[in-house]
Amino acid sequence: MRFSVKEYEKELERRKANSARRQLLVRIGVTLIVVAAVAVLVATLWLPVMSVNGTSMEPVLQDGDIIVAVKDISSVERGDIIAFYYNDRVLLKRVIGLPGDTVDIDDDGNVYINGAMLNEPYISEKSKGICDVSLPVEVTENSFFVMGDNRDVSVDSRSQELRNIYFERVVGRIFLRIYPLSEIEGL
């Protein structure tokens, strides 16, 4: 069977087009893999994304919210929310005491830092909550004293089990809520 020159040219064009499509698909695939790898590195090394589980940070953070942390804890200040590892879980709590601070809590739930009452506009109800540590507590070097905003249910530095949170256990400082979309905001 013989082919005409036009048929050869047509077949050549078809093969060139298929080759160009394959090259485009390979480039797109490689680009997607590189973008995914960079996203995973950024999320792992600098900006961990996590989900809120539980009610200990209500009313500020709700169960199911998606939040972003920044790994740099050198800028953590009193009042910031941090994520940290505890028993193979990541917990979220608010930094109340910094290294060297003395933290005391009275029976009405008022928190005192170095003798001065702490203004806490982020909590809806004061409570001493679950507290089995001897007060006042001195925050040791390289650690934070943390408390949940929902003081009645939060297990935090007021517990013998948790105590002060050492810097090496900190995942990062929470700085952004990204879900639900209607409530995107910096924290």
Side-chain angles (χ1 to χ4, degrees), residues 61-84:
L61 295 174
Q62 306 294 319
D63 188 40
D65 287 357
I66 306 295
I67 54 177
V68 180
V70 62
K71 285 256 185 177
D72 177 24
I73 66 164
S74 64
S75 63
V76 171
E77 298 178 357
R78 186 180 340 280
D80 288 345
I81 300 171
I82 62 170
F84 59 92

Side-chain angles (χ1 to χ4, degrees), residues 34-82:
V34 168
V35 167
V38 168
V40 166
L41 280 173
V42 166
T44 303
L45 298 176
W46 297 292
L47 298 171
V49 177
M50 57 197 83
S51 174
V52 175
N53 293 309
T55 60
S56 72
M57 289 306 295
E58 288 182 354
V60 175
L61 295 174
Q62 306 294 319
D63 188 40
D65 287 357
I66 306 295
I67 54 177
V68 180
V70 62
K71 285 256 185 177
D72 177 24
I73 66 164
S74 64
S75 63
V76 171
E77 298 178 357
R78 186 180 340 280
D80 288 345
I81 300 171
I82 62 170

Side-chain angles (χ1 to χ4, degrees), residues 6 9 20 22 28 67 71-72 83 88 93 127 140 150:
K6 283 189 176 195
E9 288 175 348
R22 267 192 301 274
I28 289 171
I67 54 177
K71 285 256 185 177
D72 177 24
D88 298 328
K93 304 293 179 193
S127 169
T140 57
N150 189 355

Side-chain angles (χ1 to χ4, degrees), residues 15-141:
R15 289 183 183 199
K16 282 182 183 178
N18 283 344
S19 176
R21 272 189 236 117
R22 267 192 301 274
Q23 287 176 353
L24 178 62
L25 288 174
V26 167
R27 280 193 225 123
I28 289 171
V30 168
T31 301
L32 288 174
I33 289 170
V34 168
V35 167
V38 168
V40 166
L41 280 173
V42 166
T44 303
L45 298 176
W46 297 292
L47 298 171
V49 177
M50 57 197 83
S51 174
V52 175
N53 293 309
T55 60
S56 72
M57 289 306 295
E58 288 182 354
V60 175
L61 295 174
Q62 306 294 319
D63 188 40
D65 287 357
I66 306 295
I67 54 177
V68 180
V70 62
K71 285 256 185 177
D72 177 24
I73 66 164
S74 64
S75 63
V76 171
E77 298 178 357
R78 186 180 340 280
D80 288 345
I81 300 171
I82 62 170
F84 59 92
Y85 292 108
Y86 176 71
N87 285 346
D88 298 328
R89 293 180 54 209
V90 175
L91 300 181
L92 303 171
K93 304 293 179 193
R94 191 172 300 275
V95 173
I96 300 298
L98 300 170
D101 283 346
T102 299
V103 179
D104 200 4
I105 306 167
D106 67 20
D107 289 336
D108 295 325
N110 295 306
V111 177
Y112 296 87
I113 305 297
N114 303 322
M117 189 162 80
L118 182 63
N119 179 26
E120 298 184 284
Y122 38 80
I123 63 172
S124 56
E125 193 174 313
K126 291 184 176 185
S127 169
K128 191 169 185 179
I130 304 161
C131 183
D132 63 1
V133 297
S134 296
L135 295 170
V137 171
E138 182 162 336
V139 183
T140 57
E141 192 174 325

